[in-house]
Amino acid sequence: MTATGAYAPKPGRAPLGRMLAAQTALETRLLLRNGEQLLLTVVIPTLLLTLFSVVDIVDTGPGPAVDFLAPGVLALAVMSTAFTGQAIATGFERRYGVLKRLGASPMPRWALMTAKTGSVLVTEVLQIALLTVVALALGWSPHGNPLAVLLLLLLGTAAFSGLGLLMAGTLKAEATLAAANLVFLLLLVGGGVLVPLDRFPDAAQSVLGLLPIAALSDGLRDVLQHGAGVPWEDVGILAVWAVLGLGAAARFFKWE
């Protein structure tokens, strides 16, 4: 203390940028230390990519199977982290009162949600790097504009993150756990990740094609497999899901 009785250095909250960086780093460490989340976000996509590329299980059309599967598994990785993993982790943080206490801290609530999204992006970078190395080792030959791929991945992350936070902020933790895993399994089968959408009936294709996982996997496939430009239709679908999901999460999210 100084002679005037004031504390030195002067107490107060840290700059917002420093708080965001610290919270993002913490959220990332917690996510990567969780064995169940690691299984969901890293091990399962890697095993699916390797198994379906090596073993002829599904007819993926002409060309090496890995050229079809790699974009779909990249989309699956985004969904597993931004939607399933984030929904489950946030749901139990809400149940145990962690979010309530963090919401009373000097960090604004929107900044806490931003930090969670930042941790998702960091995890996705690690996922995509690992899956790319595995796919290249399996003979993958990607094409297309990297900026188009980045746009699709960012919009997919925003869409799934909004939906995951909406689920975590409105359902009980146990319901979130069950619903998030069920949605993951359903979209894995019917979202064009491993099975081409043209294998489904025509009526189902028109509905499945509007799902965010289908738009992301098809968009990535158009660019990386066929060398197309920006797939604006898929971009539009993802943008709509992102706006709806994030908007609904901001409106209906309950902190306790």
Side-chain angles (χ1 to χ4, degrees), residues 18-253:
R18 189 183 303 171
M19 288 193 293
L20 269 174
Q23 188 65 32
T24 300
L26 174 62
E27 296 283 350
T28 303
R29 289 196 298 271
L30 291 175
L31 182 62
L32 294 178
R33 287 176 182 174
N34 190 317
E36 293 178 358
Q37 299 301 324
L38 199 62
L39 173 68
L40 182 69
T41 59
V42 176
V43 178
I44 291 178
T46 303
L47 288 177
L48 289 174
L49 175 62
T50 304
L51 176 63
F52 280 76
S53 296
V54 175
V55 182
D56 188 13
I57 301 176
V58 178
D59 182 10
T60 58
V66 68
D67 288 345
F68 173 88
L69 294 169
V73 172
L74 291 179
L76 179 68
V78 171
M79 182 181 72
S80 67
T81 300
F83 173 71
T84 313
Q86 184 170 217
I88 295 172
T90 306
F92 278 95
E93 286 178 353
R94 175 170 164 252
R95 175 190 175 182
Y96 296 137
V98 175
L99 292 184
K100 181 181 178 180
R101 289 168 173 78
L102 288 175
S105 70
M107 176 179 287
R109 291 186 173 185
W110 66 263
L112 176 60
M113 293 295 102
T114 302
K116 286 185 173 294
T117 302
S119 71
V120 166
L121 291 173
V122 173
T123 305
E124 286 179 358
V125 169
L126 299 176
Q127 285 178 288
I128 292 171
L130 172 63
L131 291 171
T132 299
V133 170
V134 173
L136 291 174
L138 292 170
W140 185 35
S141 300
H143 306 284
N145 186 349
L147 293 180
V149 174
L150 179 61
L151 176 62
L152 288 164
L153 292 174
L154 289 176
L155 284 175
T157 299
F160 285 118
S161 184
L163 295 172
L165 291 174
L166 175 63
M167 180 179 289
T170 55
L171 301 178
K172 292 183 178 181
E174 293 82 3
T176 298
L177 175 63
N181 282 310
L182 177 60
V183 170
F184 177 84
L185 291 174
L186 291 176
L187 295 184
L188 171 63
V189 175
V193 174
L194 302 175
V195 181
L197 289 182
D198 58 16
R199 299 293 187 271
F200 295 90
D202 293 339
Q205 290 181 36
S206 59
V207 175
L208 295 176
L210 296 177
L211 297 174
I213 184 63
L216 181 56
S217 58
D218 283 352
L220 290 175
R221 199 166 286 123
D222 285 342
V223 177
L224 294 172
Q225 183 178 9
H226 305 298
V230 178
W232 291 111
E233 182 178 353
D234 295 313
V235 166
I237 293 173
L238 290 172
V240 170
W241 278 105
V243 170
L244 292 177
L246 292 172
R251 173 67 177 83
F252 299 109
F253 192 94

